[in-house]
Amino acid sequence: MVGSAFKKLRRDLAFRHGRRLRQFNYWLLARVAMTIIWLLRLLPVDSALNFADRAARRIGPWVGRHNVAIANLRNAYPEKSDREIQAIASDMWGNMARLAAEYIFLDALFDYDPAATKPGRIEVKGVEHFVHIAGEQKPHIIFTGHLGNFELLPVAAATFGMNITALFRPPNNPYLADYILSTRRSTMGSLLPSATGASFALAAILEKGGNIGVLVDQKFSSGLETTFFGRPCESNRVLGTLARHYDCDVYPARCVRLPGNRFRLEIEDRLNLPRTAGGSVDVHATTQLLNDVVERWVREDPGQWMWFHKRWEISGPRGKHRQARQRGEAA
């Protein structure tokens, strides 16, 4: 009994020590990040963004996730040479660094004015859809992927008077999460952290006739089995489920990064969602359709997507069964 109590005490101490160490690491990383942000603020916008791009292209290949990105790229593009694969990965790191730095300058970057006669940093394709959604008294779903600076899409929606709540995943680091959330809220309107119960919150918004924005290109453990670039993956069913329940229109939207620190925001035509024999939205087919749309976007601009995400990792018994089957086929 004494031995058991001692083991429990040791586990409790190790847990508390580990938690404090993790919190310290979060705090230290946040201090470093905030120092970098302070230094970037001293530079003109274009100089800061270009510097972040150059630095990330040098540092990225030394980061552990670089190997994940290279493996994903080789599986997605078996026809491409190693030089082409490395070039896409380099573009990806540059894009991610620009995205991080652009948080600092969101107010300065977003200069779109529907009445302007001269082009600015932001151009919008599909203005009529923004105007239509903003003026229609019914719920809508707008989805996108982690392409370009996807954070600019809610800002554009607010410019057209669209009342939209964007679902986002906050960083694990609580100190950085507070900073990013405060930055986003100052420019993007309503935000909903992705957590337990988020799907119910999204449903409540649609129930009231509101609009929601959702990122759909991340792995979702125990989600629907779909494909992306021809490979099996797990995808979140929530958008298809909500579209079926509320029978609302679904629009694809994306951000394309242009030369010269410029951006094109695009909202495409409303999707014609697949239906079951009974006429309701087919959730599984709709989820696959979303993957297909994002894949089309990624193929057009592969360096603007985050290849280091473990999109094709299959979780739980399904993943173990697949790995066992692959080992059997290779034997």
Side-chain angles (χ1 to χ4, degrees):
M1 182 175 293
V2 174
S4 176
F6 179 74
K7 289 180 180 179
K8 183 179 183 303
L9 176 62
R10 188 170 59 182
R11 285 197 302 268
D12 291 343
L13 290 173
F15 175 77
R16 285 197 292 268
H17 177 72
R19 185 171 58 183
R20 289 173 181 170
L21 181 60
R22 184 167 58 251
Q23 287 298 114
F24 175 75
N25 288 337
Y26 282 151
W27 178 86
L28 184 62
L29 179 60
R31 292 304 94 198
V32 172
M34 297 306 291
T35 301
I36 293 173
I37 288 171
W38 179 80
L39 292 172
L40 288 175
R41 284 186 184 276
L42 300 178
L43 299 173
V45 175
D46 290 304
S47 298
L49 300 183
N50 293 338
F51 171 78
D53 183 297
R54 291 193 300 270
R57 289 173 185 269
R58 290 179 176 273
I59 298 171
W62 298 95
V63 177
R65 283 295 180 112
H66 184 74
N67 293 330
V68 176
I70 294 299
N72 285 338
L73 281 163
R74 284 175 177 157
N75 285 323
Y77 295 104
E79 75 283 2
K80 291 188 181 296
S81 66
D82 284 344
R83 178 176 295 181
E84 290 173 310
I85 294 296
Q86 293 290 347
I88 295 174
S90 180
D91 289 343
M92 175 202 69
W93 288 118
N95 174 68
M96 296 308 299
R98 286 180 179 275
L99 174 62
E102 284 158 1
Y103 275 113
I104 308 169
F105 303 105
L106 274 180
D107 290 336
L109 287 173
F110 194 88
D111 62 355
Y112 179 74
D113 180 0
T117 56
K118 294 182 179 180
R121 288 186 186 271
I122 307 291
E123 61 181 62
V124 178
K125 182 178 179 181
V127 170
E128 67 279 7
H129 294 315
F130 277 111
V131 174
H132 173 76
I133 295 170
E136 198 170 33
Q137 301 300 311
K138 57 178 288 188
H140 304 83
I141 300 175
I142 301 172
F143 74 91
T144 189
H146 291 81
L147 289 139
N149 190 331
F150 51 92
E151 305 285 10
L152 291 170
L153 290 167
V155 184
T159 300
F160 288 98
M162 187 191 303
N163 180 20
I164 188 168
T165 298
L167 181 69
F168 80 103
R169 184 185 183 279
N172 293 329
N173 187 318
Y175 304 101
L176 288 177
D178 289 343
Y179 169 76
I180 292 175
L181 184 58
S182 64
T183 303
R184 283 172 161 176
R185 277 182 172 155
S186 65
T187 54
M188 300 179 194
S190 300
L191 293 167
L192 177 66
S194 59
T196 303
S199 58
F200 295 104
L202 292 175
I205 293 167
L206 295 175
E207 185 75 41
K208 297 175 183 177
N211 308 303
I212 61 172
V214 186
L215 286 154
V216 299
D217 58 342
Q218 288 187 305
K219 173 189 181 304
F220 188 79
S221 297
S222 302
L224 291 177
E225 186 165 1
T226 54
T227 60
F228 190 60
F229 278 79
R231 299 172 59 205
C233 62
E234 293 179 312
S235 301
N236 196 335
R237 69 169 68 232
V238 67
L239 192 153
T241 301
L242 292 172
R244 180 180 64 183
H245 187 76
Y246 295 98
D247 200 21
C248 50
D249 293 340
V250 176
Y251 287 85
R254 64 167 167 169
C255 173
V256 180
R257 194 179 294 281
L258 303 175
N261 295 317
R262 297 181 62 250
F263 308 87
R264 182 172 67 249
L265 306 180
E266 301 179 355
I267 183 165
E268 300 180 357
D269 294 341
R270 174 177 60 87
L271 289 183
N272 183 19
L273 300 181
R275 304 270 173 169
T276 65
S280 61
V281 171
D282 186 323
V283 174
H284 193 282
T286 294
T287 306
Q288 182 60 59
L289 177 60
L290 305 181
N291 282 1
D292 295 341
V293 171
V294 175
E295 180 178 332
R296 167 170 58 83
W297 292 338
V298 175
R299 287 189 180 277
E300 291 176 11
D301 297 287
Q304 297 193 25
W305 192 63
M306 52 174 208
W307 290 95
F308 55 76
H309 178 59
K310 296 181 179 181
R311 182 67 179 97
W312 291 275
E313 185 178 73
I314 306 297
S315 61
R318 184 190 297 168
K320 293 179 180 179
H321 175 72
R322 186 175 297 278
Q323 291 172 2
R325 187 175 62 192
Q326 290 173 345
R327 286 195 297 268
E329 292 173 351

